[in-house]
Amino acid sequence: MFELVYCSKANQDTDSIKIFEILKTSRTNNQKFGITGCLVFHNDIFVQIIEGDSKDIDNLYANIERDERHHHVKLLWEGHIPHRNFTDWSMAYHDLGEGAIKEEDVLAFEQNLFQLSETVDKTSPASYLFWINVRKQIMGWMV
């Protein structure tokens, strides 16, 4: 099993429609290739962890690097792991939606994500770096 985590900055024109397109394609392709993981998009930053066969992860990451919907793609870690950390997640995602988002809804989402980052298994280096960078996103730090 192979695992990879990266972060990137969304282009200015990346909106909820483009995010939905990313998720739709990702979920279909990930299921076909046995790839699992989690994508967090917040404050115009993507942080993603993906796991699966090393050849499939390498191919996927090459496509991610070429994707024009984001830039400054930065590989944070890659390596072999003994087992999946996101067994049932073809690609987890939470959307706050666009439009009339209440500040308290954003704060509740951030707090829940922050609490999740403290309780999940962080035994692999990729999982640890993924959740550390998710926390940085929540606090508005550049990852």
Side-chain angles (χ1 to χ4, degrees), residues 48-62:
Q48 184 173 27
I49 187 168
I50 50 177
E51 52 194 18
D53 179 75
S54 61
K55 184 185 87 171
D56 295 328
I57 296 298
D58 287 342
N59 288 337
L60 175 57
Y61 187 66

Side-chain angles (χ1 to χ4, degrees), residues 73-87:
V73 179
K74 184 167 120 180
L75 179 64
L76 300 173
W77 191 87
E78 64 180 333
H80 293 277
I81 55 171
H83 59 84
R84 290 182 190 270
N85 291 300
F86 297 90
T87 307

Side-chain angles (χ1 to χ4, degrees), residues 18 21 36 42 79 83 96 107 110 114 122 128:
K18 288 185 181 178
E21 291 168 0
T36 54
H42 187 58
H83 59 84
L96 289 175
L107 292 174
E110 291 176 343
F114 198 83
K122 296 184 276 290
Y128 176 78

Side-chain angles (χ1 to χ4, degrees), residues 63-119:
N63 289 337
I64 288 167
E65 287 183 303
R66 288 189 297 270
D67 193 318
E68 295 180 357
R69 293 171 287 202
H70 64 159
H71 57 281
H72 291 95
V73 179
K74 184 167 120 180
L75 179 64
L76 300 173
W77 191 87
E78 64 180 333
H80 293 277
I81 55 171
H83 59 84
R84 290 182 190 270
N85 291 300
F86 297 90
T87 307
D88 298 324
W89 299 12
S90 66
M91 190 50 56
Y93 180 76
H94 180 76
D95 183 9
L96 289 175
E98 286 190 351
I101 301 172
K102 297 177 184 170
E103 185 176 343
E104 57 267 17
D105 291 340
V106 174
L107 292 174
F109 169 74
E110 291 176 343
Q111 182 178 19
N112 290 338
L113 199 54
F114 198 83
Q115 287 175 338
L116 178 63
S117 76
E118 292 178 337
T119 61

Side-chain angles (χ1 to χ4, degrees), residues 21-41:
E21 291 168 0
I22 291 169
L23 289 170
K24 185 177 176 187
T25 302
S26 295
R27 288 177 174 152
T28 300
N29 290 337
N30 290 354
Q31 188 172 27
K32 184 171 26 172
F33 292 103
I35 294 171
T36 54
C38 183
L39 171 68
V40 174
F41 178 68

